[in-house]
Amino acid sequence: MSIWGLILNASFVVQLVMLTLLLASVFSWVVIFQRKRVLGRAKKVRRNFEDQFWSGIDLSDLYRQLTVDGRKVEGMENIFTAGIKEFTRLRQNGTVEADAIIEGVDRAMRVALYREEERLDQHLPFLATVGSISPYVGLFGTVWGIMHAFIGLAEVQQATLATVAPGIAEALIATAIGLAAAIPAVVAYNRFSSTADSLASSYENFANEFSSVLYRKVHVREGN
């Protein structure tokens, strides 16, 4: 009547359900640790970049610092570099009007913003799927196991608790594994979704603020 013994003696369908849920749980934990690392890195990059950007540093110097020696830019840095590169390219073309420059910068930053949002949301649908369907998969294994146990009762002369208990116990293990897979996935999904939404909102706010800075910069130059 040990848990391991019940699993080994379970029917093939129940064992298959348990294995599926176990694999889903393992993969969800891999995703949880990976998302925790990525989102934690994104928050750190955002904090450090905002400190640099609003410190009054020259935008050209900041761009050189971020791209020195082929350094990989990420998060808010990517939005900034996309905007400043497009701004510099269009300004060097003397025939482009100021409003057209800002429109081009906005488009470049919007593309970078969408890419960063996709990176933040990566693998989150998997956690949502595991969290939503694992209890039902476990319940299917439980129903199948109980059905199998009652079918077995028809083959005995006298039904006792000792006869029916192992079948019901092995069936309930499937539900337990389903809940064990679903609960961490749901908690992680809710937390990571909130963090990703917060980061995406800060990225969008920065893009708007940076666009305003460049707007003033290009119109002040025209006024002079």
Side-chain angles (χ1 to χ4, degrees), residues 27-165:
F27 284 125
S28 67
W29 277 107
V30 171
V31 171
I32 287 171
F33 286 117
Q34 192 264 351
R35 286 292 90 194
K36 181 177 176 62
R37 179 181 59 82
V38 169
L39 294 175
R41 171 67 180 171
K43 289 194 292 186
K44 181 179 179 181
V45 168
R46 180 191 63 179
R47 183 169 56 252
N48 293 338
F49 175 79
E50 286 181 332
D51 290 342
Q52 288 181 295
F53 183 82
W54 297 112
S55 65
I57 187 174
D58 184 77
L59 298 181
S60 299
D61 293 339
L62 179 57
Y63 175 77
R64 283 192 292 270
Q65 289 182 14
L66 295 176
T67 56
V68 62
D69 296 331
R71 177 181 176 273
K72 180 182 178 181
V73 293
E74 52 187 325
M76 196 172 285
E77 298 174 344
N78 191 23
I79 298 172
F80 167 77
T81 55
I84 198 68
K85 281 196 295 186
E86 185 69 9
F87 179 75
T88 303
R89 185 182 70 83
L90 293 176
R91 283 188 70 181
Q92 290 175 349
N93 188 342
T95 61
V96 180
E97 298 181 355
D99 291 338
I101 293 177
I102 300 303
E103 290 178 3
V105 170
D106 288 339
R107 285 194 297 269
M109 290 195 295
R110 195 176 304 116
V111 171
L113 174 62
Y114 290 157
R115 289 176 179 173
E116 291 303 320
E117 288 178 345
E118 289 179 356
R119 182 170 176 267
L120 294 175
D121 293 334
Q122 191 177 17
H123 302 313
L124 291 185
F126 174 78
L127 291 179
T129 302
V130 171
S132 61
I133 70 171
S134 290
Y136 297 105
V137 175
L139 183 60
F140 168 76
T142 297
V143 171
W144 185 275
I146 292 176
M147 182 180 66
H148 184 74
F150 279 111
I151 291 175
L153 287 178
E155 301 176 357
V156 299
Q157 296 294 329
Q158 184 178 2
T160 62
L161 182 61
T163 305
V164 71

Side-chain angles (χ1 to χ4, degrees), residues 53 59 80 83-84 109 206-215:
F53 183 82
L59 298 181
F80 167 77
I84 198 68
M109 290 195 295
F206 169 76
N208 292 332
E209 292 171 346
F210 186 41
S211 179
S212 298
V213 171
L214 296 180
Y215 180 87

